[in-house]
Each structure stands twice: as structure tokens, then as C-alpha cells.
Amino acid sequence: WHPDPVTRILTVCGGAELDLREADLPGREITIHAVAVCGGVSITVPPEMRVIDTGSAVMGGREIAGETAESAKPDAPVLRITGTCVCGGVEVKRKPRETTQPRES
């Protein structure tokens, strides 16, 4: 899939899940503006993506996966997360890309 350079997400009493592991990024950096009101946003990133969170939470939480050796490299792709959580949350987790094994005949 092809995310926009700036993507806006709003959840109200519900949730949203984004998986950036197989996304075709528009550049080296994207921004997700996430607002969660009594809901949540879950974002999965590949190990090499640097995550910069400048959002805030009121009676909610933000859980961002720690950096890896790959994400600390200067040429690592960057995900910036902004926005506010009110009685809701934003979670960013790291997972390796899913590889598809070729089928044997």
C-alpha cells in the first residue's frame, strides 16, 4: 500500500491498525497524525524504521517500541507520530517483515 506523506487517523470508541512493514513509502520520512478518543491506534513498523513520537495523552497512553541497531542508522526511514489520546492510546510495535516462501512443486 502507499501511505501519504502525512496521514491523519481519528478513532472514536474504536480502533485502527496500520502495518508499515510492506508499505511503499513516498520518501524517507512520513508523518502520522493520530487522534484517539476512547479508542486506539496500533502501528506495526519494520525493525529498521526510526520512530519519533511528539504526541500527548490525557487519561490514556502512548507505547512506542524501543530503537534497534538498524533504526539508529542515519539513513533509516523515519515515522513521526503526532496527535493526542484522550482515554485512548497509541501503540507502535516492531516486527520483522513477513517473507513469502516460494512454493515447491
Side-chain angles (χ1 to χ4, degrees), residues 19-101:
D19 189 339
L20 297 174
R21 292 177 294 168
E22 301 299 329
D24 186 10
L25 301 179
R28 299 297 301 162
E29 182 174 317
I30 64 169
T31 299
I32 294 179
H33 181 76
V35 175
V37 180
C38 298
V41 177
S42 175
I43 304 169
T44 304
V45 299
E48 73 274 6
M49 183 171 270
R50 181 178 307 135
V51 179
I52 300 170
D53 179 27
T54 58
S56 59
V58 178
M59 294 180 62
R62 300 176 81 81
E63 185 175 334
I64 311 301
E67 296 295 325
T68 64
E70 296 166 299
S71 68
K73 292 181 180 178
D75 62 341
V78 175
L79 167 62
R80 292 188 184 276
I81 303 174
T82 64
T84 303
C85 303
V86 179
C87 298
V90 171
E91 175 188 25
V92 177
K93 54 192 169 194
R94 293 183 187 282
K95 285 187 180 177
R97 288 186 169 83
E98 294 179 4
T99 56
T100 56
Q101 299 294 329

Side-chain angles (χ1 to χ4, degrees), residues 4-29:
D4 291 329
V6 177
T7 300
R8 299 184 186 286
I9 299 171
L10 170 64
T11 60
V12 179
C13 297
E17 292 183 24
L18 296 174
D19 189 339
L20 297 174
R21 292 177 294 168
E22 301 299 329
D24 186 10
L25 301 179
R28 299 297 301 162
E29 182 174 317

